[in-house]
């Protein structure tokens, strides 16, 4: 691998395709082990170069960020804008249509060139980007660690456009999920056209037409698996059902010997950790009860 990189003769070893439900169906493309090692090395070089240029409120695939931090930040925004839940606040929620499949290779490489000047590095990045096509000249593989940093680099100019040019102070993005808060509903409606134009003209992306929503805070703001309401954050109903279903399945696998007790406890603890950020007493009680049953029986 080292010799191939030095001689610029590296060629991607291809991808293995498989599907998961997370919770919606997703197609993952897994690279070979040797390529994954190289992609991780590239990611480690790119991350400090570009992360410092990102807005604070970009929460996907970044250190000290993630879903829980994004929910917490949104909750703080809502509390501040509503002046401790006493004034109305509106949330504009948007979702980019087929985000990873729609990322344009030429646009992405041009964005990388704004910070990377080394010809050898750019040549390698071009090969990595060109190693996958959903359609000609477009698409990044879900499963590559490089796709995570590429996605944030791709959306960075848009983030700054929303914050600076549109003046949207209360804006949060998690991958392709965008949310903007304002006490002025008409202003949010007016800004949709600017968002659509920028994404289309600059990044060759489009919003999902059925996922452009404006909701009042007291109706509940659905974001990253949680629903934020005045005075409380609750778990999404579908997420509750999914956790109960999965934990019940894990218990059956443990009872039939398909799963170890250690792996079972690890999974249940992971669910409990996720639920600890929301008001979900009944689901937590259910998980604690089956965990106690396992402790007593095994």
């Amino acid at each position: 691998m080292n010799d191939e990189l030095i001689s610029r003769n590296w060629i991607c070893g291809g991808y293995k395709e498989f599907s998961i439900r997370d919770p919606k169906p997703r197609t993952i493309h897994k690279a070979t082990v040797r390529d994954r090692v190289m992609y991780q090395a590239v990611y480690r070089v790119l991350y400090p170069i570009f992360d410092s240029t990102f807005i604070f409120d970009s929460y996907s695939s970044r250190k000290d960020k993630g879903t829980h931090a994004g929910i917490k930040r949104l909750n703080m925004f809502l509390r501040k804008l509503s002046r401790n839940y006493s004034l109305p606040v509106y949330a504009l929620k948007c979702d980019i249509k087929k985000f990873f499949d729609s990322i344009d290779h030429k646009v992405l490489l041009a964005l990388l060139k704004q910070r990377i000047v080394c010809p050898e590095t750019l040549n390698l990045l071009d090969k990595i980007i060109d190693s996958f096509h959903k359609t000609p000249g477009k698409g990044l593989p879900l499963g590559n660690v490089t796709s995570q940093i590429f996605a944030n680099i791709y959306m960075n100019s848009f983030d700054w456009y929303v914050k600076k040019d549109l003046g949207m102070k209360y804006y949060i993005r998690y991958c392709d999920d965008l949310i903007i808060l304002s006490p002025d509903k008409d202003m949010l409606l007016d800004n949709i056209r600017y968002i659509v134009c920028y994404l289309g003209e600059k990044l060759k992306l489009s919003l999902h037409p059925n996922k452009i929503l404006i909701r009042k805070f007291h109706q509940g703001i659905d974001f990253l698996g949680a629903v934020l309401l005045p005075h409380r954050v609750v778990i999404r109903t579908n997420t509750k059902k999914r956790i109960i279903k999965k934990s019940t399945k894990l218990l059956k696998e443990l009872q039939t010997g398909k799963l170890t007790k250690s792996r079972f406890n690890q999974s249940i603890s992971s669910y409990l950790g996720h639920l600890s950020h929301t008001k979900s007493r009944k689901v937590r009680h259910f998980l604690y009860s089956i965990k106690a049953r396992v402790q007593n029986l095994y």
Side-chain angles (χ1 to χ4, degrees), residues 11-146:
I11 298 175
C12 174
Y15 296 93
K16 181 179 180 181
E17 181 180 309
F18 61 96
S19 299
I20 63 169
R21 293 188 67 87
D22 185 34
K24 62 183 179 181
R26 296 180 185 273
T27 301
I28 306 297
H29 291 86
K30 186 177 181 181
T32 62
V33 173
R34 65 191 290 275
D35 285 348
R36 293 205 304 273
V37 171
M38 190 267 286
Y39 294 155
Q40 185 65 49
V42 170
Y43 175 87
R44 290 180 179 179
V45 171
L46 292 180
Y47 187 90
I49 295 173
F50 285 95
D51 188 71
S52 61
T53 71
F54 298 157
I55 66 167
F56 182 86
D57 289 309
S58 166
Y59 284 88
S60 175
S61 305
R62 298 180 66 194
K63 295 175 183 176
D64 302 318
K65 300 290 184 177
T67 57
H68 298 312
I71 293 168
K72 184 177 180 181
R73 179 72 164 175
L74 179 59
N75 195 38
M76 185 273 285
F77 279 171
L78 288 164
R79 188 173 64 250
K80 184 176 181 179
L81 262 181
S82 66
R83 296 189 181 179
N84 287 325
Y85 318 118
S86 62
L87 297 176
V89 176
Y90 298 89
L92 168 63
K93 285 194 61 190
C94 303
D95 184 283
I96 297 174
K97 186 177 180 180
K98 297 181 179 179
F99 176 55
F100 281 93
D101 291 346
S102 302
I103 289 179
D104 187 273
H105 291 180
K106 288 183 179 178
V107 173
L108 175 58
L109 194 61
L111 293 169
L112 288 165
K113 286 179 178 179
Q114 292 178 4
R115 302 282 293 183
I116 305 294
V117 295
C118 172
E120 289 82 5
T121 303
L122 286 171
N123 177 263
L124 177 60
L125 292 174
D126 189 18
K127 285 185 176 182
I128 294 172
I129 295 167
D130 193 49
S131 69
F132 179 87
H133 292 256
K134 185 65 177 182
T135 57
K138 290 180 178 287
L140 294 178
L142 279 174
N144 267 16
V145 67
T146 50

Side-chain angles (χ1 to χ4, degrees), residues 192-243:
I192 292 173
R193 60 193 173 106
Y194 296 113
I195 290 170
V196 169
C197 287
Y198 188 96
L199 288 172
E201 293 175 5
K202 301 292 186 180
L203 301 178
K204 300 184 180 181
L205 299 173
S206 60
L207 295 179
H208 196 297
N210 299 326
K211 295 183 179 179
I212 303 174
L213 305 170
I214 291 184
R215 289 182 64 84
K216 294 179 181 178
F217 182 20
H218 77 262
Q219 292 176 314
I221 309 301
D222 191 327
F223 188 59
L224 302 180
V227 179
L228 293 88
L229 292 150
H231 303 289
R232 67 192 190 280
V233 178
V234 299
I235 198 77
R236 187 188 293 162
T237 301
N238 288 342
T239 304
K240 291 180 188 178
K241 292 179 179 178
R242 189 169 68 253
I243 288 175

Side-chain angles (χ1 to χ4, degrees), residues 186-298:
D186 290 335
M187 184 179 68
L188 292 176
L189 286 168
D190 189 53
N191 277 320
I192 292 173
R193 60 193 173 106
Y194 296 113
I195 290 170
V196 169
C197 287
Y198 188 96
L199 288 172
E201 293 175 5
K202 301 292 186 180
L203 301 178
K204 300 184 180 181
L205 299 173
S206 60
L207 295 179
H208 196 297
N210 299 326
K211 295 183 179 179
I212 303 174
L213 305 170
I214 291 184
R215 289 182 64 84
K216 294 179 181 178
F217 182 20
H218 77 262
Q219 292 176 314
I221 309 301
D222 191 327
F223 188 59
L224 302 180
V227 179
L228 293 88
L229 292 150
H231 303 289
R232 67 192 190 280
V233 178
V234 299
I235 198 77
R236 187 188 293 162
T237 301
N238 288 342
T239 304
K240 291 180 188 178
K241 292 179 179 178
R242 189 169 68 253
I243 288 175
I244 291 172
K245 183 178 180 180
K246 284 187 174 181
S247 57
T248 302
K249 182 181 178 182
L250 288 171
L251 180 59
K252 290 180 179 179
E253 290 178 349
L254 175 65
Q255 292 170 336
T256 56
K258 295 180 180 179
L259 190 70
T260 65
K261 181 180 176 181
S262 174
R263 184 71 183 85
F264 173 84
N265 285 333
Q266 183 180 357
S267 296
I268 299 300
S269 295
S270 177
Y271 292 144
L272 287 168
H274 178 68
L275 293 170
S276 67
H277 298 269
T278 61
K279 291 185 181 295
S280 49
R281 183 177 58 83
K282 290 183 179 180
V283 184
R284 288 203 302 271
H285 177 75
F286 172 80
L287 293 175
Y288 280 124
S289 67
I290 64 171
K291 190 174 182 179
R293 283 171 56 192
V294 168
Q295 299 301 327
N296 292 332
L297 293 175
Y298 295 87

